[in-house]
Amino acid sequence: MTDAEFIQSLPKTETHLHIEGALPYELLRTLDPATYPENPYFYEPDFRFESFPKFDEVLLGHALPWYVSAERYHEAAKAIFARHVAQNVRYVETSFHLPVAMFTNTPAAELIAAIRSAVPAGLEVRIFAGMLRTDYTGPMQAIIDDLVNLEDLAGVDLHGYEPVPTEAWTASVWQRLRDAGKVTKCHAGEFDGARRVREAIEQLGVTRVQHGIRAIEDPAVVALAAERGVTFDVCPISNVRLQVAPSLSAHPLRRLTEAGVRCTISTDDPLVFGNTLNGEYAALAAEAGYTRAELAQLARNGWAVASVDTATRDVALGEIDRLAHVHV
């Protein structure tokens, strides 16, 4: 069995995926092939985004022209999830950018239903509402307050430009959402340091940190994450493309897992990174020397935090164990 066959055979999860940032580029090209060339410059292997604001400009400039209605969310989600199934991904946590509900005058419940209706057989999907640290204001406040009432919403995620301060409203809103049975996440430890990971854990009460890798800058924060059982949903290729990590070989992922932090592997924003989940695993093997045993453990980590029943988790873990036993 080749490495590619081994990776394909692993039953995988994806737990850090922005649905706007996962828009298949070929769908975007159907809008205007002249504006969106077949081979965009940001897919070049050596391309790096100079800053988060520049990345955000490119991402939103490509995603927002597509995502103008619930129907467009459905169409994109159908294509996105088909790619997951083709890679033997069986569980996905994806977020949608909540302000789009206001921009497009579409209730959040309709966007969630549009995404949910695109889920194919054999794939479990949990849908999260993502928002900026500054969004709890004006009409957005009522939209955020109503999230506790949306049954098909799995949880929430705080994202955007990390150096923006976390506002006082966040901790109480996040607690209220947890009390309603929602999972709370926070982007931290990407474009700001370890202190933001500590803030997410201690002040916001999250056990799911998106990225989290700059926790490595403070051993005490790494120890805190390990002690609290916090999971970092890591996106290695994103981290390199955004120059958070200089390369996959220098990425702190292995040091974090060796220190006891559970880490999962995801793609973040394939629209602008040109990556796939199988490609993430393959790149770790080729560029960071990950063994099949290590790749199998990363796959296990995803199932450890997946919101699935015990039988579903046990089936996936059993497959991983058999693959690892025979092919490692």
Side-chain angles (χ1 to χ4, degrees):
M1 180 177 278
T2 65
D3 282 351
E5 290 169 334
F6 178 78
I7 291 166
Q8 173 66 26
S9 297
L10 287 171
K12 294 175 291 294
T13 68
E14 169 131 54
T15 51
H16 182 167
L17 181 73
H18 302 273
I19 199 159
E20 292 87 3
L23 174 67
Y25 189 75
E26 63 269 21
L27 282 184
L28 180 62
R29 292 199 74 231
T30 64
L31 295 182
D32 186 354
T35 299
Y36 308 110
E38 185 173 358
N39 298 303
Y41 66 92
F42 44 80
Y43 282 0
E44 292 296 322
D46 295 331
F47 178 78
R48 301 291 182 267
F49 287 95
E50 63 187 52
S51 65
F52 182 88
K54 183 61 179 177
F55 154 77
D56 210 29
E57 175 187 322
V58 173
L59 175 63
L60 296 179
H62 286 74
L64 293 185
W66 176 270
Y67 287 101
V68 296
S69 65
E71 291 76 17
R72 286 278 184 84
Y73 270 88
H74 173 86
E75 187 176 353
K78 188 173 181 180
I80 292 164
F81 296 151
R83 290 184 174 184
H84 282 110
V85 171
Q87 295 175 82
N88 200 20
V89 178
R90 302 184 192 173
Y91 175 87
V92 173
E93 292 177 2
T94 188
S95 65
F96 67 96
H97 189 46
L98 187 60
V100 174
M102 185 177 67
F103 298 156
T104 63
N105 198 30
T106 306
E110 288 188 22
L111 295 180
I112 295 167
I115 298 168
R116 170 66 52 201
S117 64
V119 177
L123 184 66
E124 293 279 350
V125 174
R126 304 291 177 261
I127 302 169
F128 288 69
M131 66 198 76
L132 303 177
R133 286 171 166 81
T134 55
D135 272 345
Y136 198 64
T137 184
M140 283 296 297
Q141 185 170 340
I143 293 173
I144 292 171
D145 284 341
D146 188 52
L147 294 178
V148 296
N149 300 313
L150 302 183
E151 290 187 7
D152 280 344
L153 183 73
V156 293
D157 179 20
L158 202 63
H159 62 207
Y161 190 43
E162 189 183 346
V164 173
T166 301
E167 297 180 354
W169 62 268
T170 316
S172 60
V173 171
W174 254 225
Q175 185 61 57
R176 188 161 71 243
L177 285 157
R178 279 194 297 275
D179 291 343
K182 309 301 185 186
V183 176
T184 55
K185 298 183 180 183
C186 180
H187 278 58
E190 183 190 20
F191 281 90
D192 208 342
R195 67 182 182 88
R196 300 306 291 273
V197 178
R198 179 182 290 279
E199 174 193 73
I201 297 170
E202 293 186 337
Q203 296 183 30
L204 301 187
V206 307
T207 57
R208 298 289 298 282
V209 173
Q210 307 296 274
H211 298 297
I213 65 169
R214 288 185 59 185
I216 202 69
E217 297 168 6
D218 185 343
V221 175
V222 174
L224 173 69
E227 177 187 344
R228 297 280 185 93
V230 173
T231 297
F232 291 176
D233 294 312
V234 180
C235 306
I237 290 174
S238 165
N239 298 152
V240 173
R241 291 278 183 151
L242 290 170
Q243 303 190 70
V244 178
S247 65
L248 289 181
S249 61
H251 196 286
L253 175 64
R254 184 181 274 118
R255 284 178 286 157
L256 289 166
T257 56
E258 288 175 346
V261 179
R262 181 192 291 125
C263 295
T264 67
I265 300 300
S266 295
T267 58
D268 202 2
D269 295 291
L271 170 60
V272 290
F273 300 133
N275 54 341
T276 65
L277 193 59
N278 278 358
E280 295 277 349
Y281 279 78
L284 288 173
E287 300 179 41
Y290 269 65
T291 65
R292 292 183 181 183
E294 288 178 306
L295 297 179
Q297 186 56 51
L298 290 171
R300 290 188 191 98
N301 291 348
W303 288 105
V305 297
S307 297
V308 295
D309 58 59
T310 301
T312 300
R313 181 178 291 105
D314 288 348
V315 166
L317 293 176
E319 287 185 44
I320 294 169
D321 289 345
R322 285 190 293 275
L323 277 167
H325 176 73
V326 174
H327 297 288
V328 168

